């Protein structure tokens, strides 16, 4: 690993997501040695991944080099590595590039796609949790368009132009809206050899309404916005099987589709090695106390999506979104320095800033604590909040410009097939 | 192929480079049916590829979807396909997605990397002619940095941080300068666990001076600029062998390097099927007359790099750069309509707008016909010319912003390893 010894205690962070980077920033200039480990060399702004999939943004503008987050701080190190296991007896990690000891360990590994054991979806479905996956979806959509343009077979064309999105949470809703905009604005101009009506976007949701974690008002509005865009929404619908062409559901609904995008669930992404009983079964999250300490350990913490803090108002833990991760990361930055200094730590209290989702141009839904609204103003708020949450001035400006350009021109211009995607069954 | 029959003559264009798109634009709204065929769905602005390799720009901002070039024009079609051969008797092309007849054929396939028969370089060297190749180089550079940070072995670290660029033309010179900026500005801040002095950039050129196609004044200045940046320039130097680690040259010079970037030569990229004698041997270019008609054919044209037009002042043909391709494409757009209308065509006359190369911030060399200059003003001109030559308003704005940002911050921020590159020998 080649990390020098230091007089300060060593804090090792696994994962450069929202939790990891907000924690790292807080302690980077303190009297600790910081080692941030991630499998990738960049932070991904997951809320906008769907815009990479739908050709609205390039990946570089929603990602940020992790080394830039630590730059200018002595005693901070980034290592590109995969963590294999934790040895809490020895206070040591085993990684793909060697072992490393820690004084304090912060696990911020987030979640991974959950297929709920359905092998057929795992094999043929397209997940969208990472930048390369988002680029694969972009390539597949564009490749399907090109293939549809040259085929004489109506059935084949239909399957190429049917896009099935599974999961009606914010990700699925936003992606469905964005793909519908490709149909409504890009196909008529740039693919005049296709008939836009041949293209269909299906959004399948297992619950009784889309955006099930938001208010009923938001669900209703989102459903209305989606159908205005031409998205076919099916609630109470599960996918039972997908062979790369035919989507079979729990209902009589069967769809022919070359593209099934899986946005229906995540599960924790824990690291091997801690006592099994600190993980909560189905969610795969580490049980933590109100200081984010993993149950039974003094010097091991879990932050964000991978942590399960059961408190008043949140008996099932906090929602697995950016805000709890950011807030926990920032608080632990302060608390850890208190712990090291022998002072009492402060309990975490989640400030719910609300939730939101956008459904194409001029349309979004926002739920605040005492107030909910939808439409143009919600869309404006959605954009502002996401722009401000992006990491780095450069990214903000480039995303802002792209949005303005796309809005004025009804365009989505990041349309390069740079990772030609081969489906397994082809 | 699924191209409908039309009352207008069909013009098939192979290749969406500078020549192909400038020709296509000229005839898109005329009384012809236009079919543009390319292996990729985007136009690549090759002069700035080196900035993608060196993390200064994202690929989307120097590429442009080919369908956007034809949009809004009826009777125009884009097809993503590889052309396998030409049957000039039948006036038909064989492609990866079926056959297509043509009334007029325009070959604008450009060049491909020339390894001059050296298999070891073809296997282990990194070419930089295409967007995916540029991204591979970016990934390899960044992966080498990460690996260098964790190794204790001095020799290994040296090989990881030695970058050998072969070919001292504009591409090699510009890339060497950009990689030197990574060393000078990014390493000290973002890779504080590396010692910048451990990194070396070598530029090897077979001729007696770098930029051999430009003036001696330009060569001298460029050499001076390069050494100021710390690039080690070796002229009269050929690579004889490269095994993925050791670079052997014609001189006593031997280098340990994990990265050899090959920018030393191109050769024409012809299509199978025309009479063998229309190709000029070493260059692999089609001999054309002053109307860009391929020798011996009335309805087949070749444009840009793949064409060899021997005229007064250019006995070996025009330089294989953007300007002749653009000018020939535009002229043929007019000439073809004249030919169809039975009017006499106009002979091509190359307007030499000069040549230029940049060598890092504030430094460039420019050769005009009667005037040559170097330094800050040349750098300014270089930027303006490249910005204006980019295809699309969006690309111009994003590149301009990135340049401004990089300039002010001494930064290069497009540093994602999104295509982890595995070298063959690892």
């Amino acid at each position: 690993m080649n990390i020098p010894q230091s007089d300060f205690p060593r804090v090792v962070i696994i994962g450069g997501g929202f939790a990891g980077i907000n924690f790292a920033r807080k302690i980077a200039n303190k009297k600790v040695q910081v080692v941030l480990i991630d499998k990738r060399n960049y932070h991904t702004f997951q809320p906008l991944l769907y815009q990479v999939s739908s050709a609205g943004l390039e990946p570089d503008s929603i990602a940020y080099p992790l080394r830039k987050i630590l730059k200018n701080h002595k005693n901070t190190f980034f290592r590109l590595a995969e963590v294999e296991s934790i040895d809490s007896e020895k206070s040591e990690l085993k990684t793909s590039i060697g072992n490393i000891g820690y004084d304090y360990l912060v696990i911020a590994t987030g979640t991974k796609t959950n297929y709920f054991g359905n092998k057929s979806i795992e094999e043929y479905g397209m997940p969208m949790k990472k930048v390369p996956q988002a680029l694969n979806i972009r390539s597949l959509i564009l490749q399907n368009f090109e293939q549809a343009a040259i085929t004489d077979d109506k059935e084949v064309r239909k399957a190429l132009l049917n896009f099935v999105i599974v999961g009606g949470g914010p990700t699925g809703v936003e992606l469905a809206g964005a793909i519908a905009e490709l149909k409504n604005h890009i196909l008529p101009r740039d693919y005049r050899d296709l008939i836009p009506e041949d293209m269909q976007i299906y959004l399948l949701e297992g619950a009784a309404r889309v955006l099930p974690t938001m208010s009923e008002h938001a669900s209703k509005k989102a459903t209305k916005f989606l159908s205005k865009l031409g998205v076919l929404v099916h609630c109470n619908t599960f996918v039972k099987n997908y062979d790369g062409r035919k989507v079979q559901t729990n209902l009589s609904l069967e769809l022919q589709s070359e593209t099934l995008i899986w946005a229906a669930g995540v599960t924790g992404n824990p690291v091997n090695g801690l006592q099994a009983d600190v993980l909560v079964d189905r969610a795969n999250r580490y049980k933590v106390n109100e200081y984010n300490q993993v149950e039974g350990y003094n010097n091991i913490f879990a932050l964000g999506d991978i942590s399960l803090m059961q408190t008043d108002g949140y008996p099932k833990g906090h929602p697995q979104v950016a805000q709890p991760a950011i807030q926990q990361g920032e608080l632990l930055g302060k608390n850890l320095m208190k712990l090291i200094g022998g002072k009492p730590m402060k309990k975490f209290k989640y400030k719910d800033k609300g939730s939101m989702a956008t459904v194409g141009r001029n349309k979004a839904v926002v739920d605040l604590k005492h107030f909910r609204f939808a439409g143009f103003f919600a869309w404006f708020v959605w954009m502002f909040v996401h722009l401000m949450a992006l990491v780095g001035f450069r990214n903000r400006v480039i995303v802002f410009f792209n949005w303005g350009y796309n809005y004025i021109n009804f365009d989505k211009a990041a349309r390069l097939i740079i990772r030609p995607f081969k489906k397994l069954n082809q």
Side-chain angles (χ1 to χ4, degrees), chain A:
Chain A
M1 269 256 181
N2 206 16
I3 308 266
Q5 286 301 322
S6 154
D7 294 338
F8 300 138
R10 179 183 289 166
V11 183
V12 176
I13 310 165
I14 314 176
F18 285 116
I21 65 168
N22 280 286
F23 171 68
R25 278 170 166 171
K26 279 277 171 214
I27 57 161
N29 60 351
K30 296 291 190 311
K31 291 187 172 175
V32 285
Q33 185 189 55
V34 180
V35 181
L36 173 61
I37 302 177
D38 200 296
K39 279 184 285 188
R40 288 176 284 273
N41 74 331
Y42 53 89
H43 164 77
T44 305
F45 189 75
Q46 291 192 13
L48 290 180
L49 261 187
Y50 82 94
Q51 295 204 4
V52 172
S53 297
S54 50
L57 292 174
E58 48 265 70
D60 298 76
S61 46
I62 64 152
Y64 195 82
L66 287 171
R67 280 186 177 268
K68 270 172 75 96
I69 285 165
L70 301 174
K71 80 172 180 193
N72 295 331
H73 296 297
K74 282 180 195 172
N75 278 318
T76 64
F77 295 86
F78 170 74
R79 288 294 178 261
L80 187 69
E82 197 140 353
V83 175
E84 285 154 11
S85 64
I86 304 168
D87 184 338
S88 60
E89 302 265 304
K90 287 194 200 162
S91 288
E92 196 177 77
L93 294 185
K94 215 179 133 187
T95 84
S96 55
I97 58 168
N99 296 356
I100 179 166
Y102 60 83
D103 296 302
Y104 299 94
L105 177 66
V106 175
I107 307 172
T109 47
T111 56
K112 60 187 177 193
T113 304
N114 190 358
Y115 298 97
F116 302 104
N118 190 319
K119 290 281 166 206
S120 76
I121 298 171
E122 191 168 350
E123 197 170 349
Y124 297 110
M126 308 283 291
M128 197 183 67
K129 281 282 292 173
K130 303 169 188 172
V131 168
Q133 292 170 344
L135 286 174
N136 284 343
I137 292 174
R138 179 176 94 180
S139 285
L140 184 61
I141 293 173
L142 296 169
Q143 285 173 264
N144 285 353
F145 287 170
E146 294 298 341
Q147 263 197 283
I150 59 169
T151 184
D152 288 320
D153 186 322
K154 262 192 165 181
E155 288 306 305
V156 172
R157 187 160 60 236
K158 212 176 141 185
L160 285 163
L161 295 177
N162 273 350
F163 294 88
V164 178
I165 298 154
V166 189
T171 305
V173 166
E174 293 180 340
L175 183 63
I179 295 182
E181 290 190 326
L182 288 178
K183 170 182 172 174
N184 299 335
H185 304 310
I186 305 296
L187 246 55
R189 274 190 322 205
D190 290 14
Y191 293 82
R192 278 159 300 96
D193 36 3
L194 293 177
I195 302 160
E197 289 71 36
D198 283 353
M199 178 170 169
Q200 293 295 355
I201 301 112
Y202 295 88
L203 180 64
L204 313 185
E205 165 59 41
R209 57 188 177 96
V210 298
L211 301 177
T213 59
M214 291 182 69
S215 66
E216 292 215 20
H217 172 258
S219 298
K220 226 183 232 168
K221 285 282 181 183
T223 308
K224 204 180 108 196
F225 294 154
L226 285 167
S227 39
K228 262 198 186 164
L229 284 169
V231 176
L232 304 166
V233 179
H234 293 266
C235 290
N236 298 309
T237 308
F238 301 94
V239 173
K240 287 178 74 177
N241 194 60
Y242 178 56
D243 62 3
R245 175 61 83 84
K246 192 165 70 177
V247 184
Q248 290 175 299
T249 68
N250 60 325
L251 308 175
S252 62
L253 181 73
E254 266 194 14
L255 300 166
Q256 298 293 321
S257 173
E258 292 275 338
T259 316
L260 183 144
I261 299 168
W262 185 251
V266 293
T267 182
N269 187 24
V271 186
N272 291 328
L274 296 192
Q275 298 162 35
D277 61 357
V278 302
L279 272 181
V280 170
D281 260 5
R282 268 193 68 215
N284 252 331
R285 296 164 82 174
Y286 290 112
K287 277 188 257 178
V288 298
N289 64 17
E290 283 164 302
Y291 312 110
N292 281 98
Q293 266 167 322
V294 176
E295 215 168 64
Y297 299 89
N298 282 320
N299 63 340
I300 301 181
F301 300 82
L303 287 177
D305 288 1
I306 190 69
S307 75
L308 184 81
M309 188 190 292
Q310 289 165 306
T311 52
D312 293 349
Y314 299 97
K316 289 178 179 177
H318 299 103
Q320 287 170 296
V321 294
Q323 273 304 321
I326 293 169
Q327 294 175 26
Q328 287 178 3
E330 288 179 349
L331 180 65
L332 184 59
K334 290 180 207 160
N335 272 342
L336 186 69
M337 297 320 296
K338 286 183 182 160
L339 182 69
I340 292 171
K343 288 177 203 157
M345 296 192 284
K346 213 181 133 187
K347 286 187 179 176
F348 179 73
K349 203 167 162 14
Y350 177 46
K351 281 189 209 93
D352 185 355
K353 296 191 174 172
S355 52
M356 51 179 78
T358 183
V359 202
R361 50 192 298 127
N362 302 343
K363 298 186 196 77
V365 291
V366 175
D367 280 358
L368 300 182
K369 212 166 177 179
H370 303 292
F371 185 51
R372 46 198 51 146
F373 54 106
F376 183 79
F377 182 63
W379 174 74
F380 202 82
V381 169
W382 181 93
M383 285 204 299
F384 180 78
V385 166
H386 282 77
L387 215 48
M388 288 304 107
L390 269 170
V391 181
F393 171 74
R394 174 185 164 275
N395 288 358
R396 274 179 218 146
V397 175
I398 291 185
V399 168
F400 181 70
F401 171 73
N402 272 298
W403 285 352
Y405 174 89
N406 294 348
Y407 186 77
I408 293 166
N409 297 286
F410 291 82
D411 200 1
K412 293 183 194 284
R415 293 214 299 269
L416 320 190
I417 304 176
I418 47 168
R419 291 170 63 94
F421 182 75
K422 288 247 179 291
K423 285 188 70 178
L424 289 168
N425 58 334
Q426 280 173 349

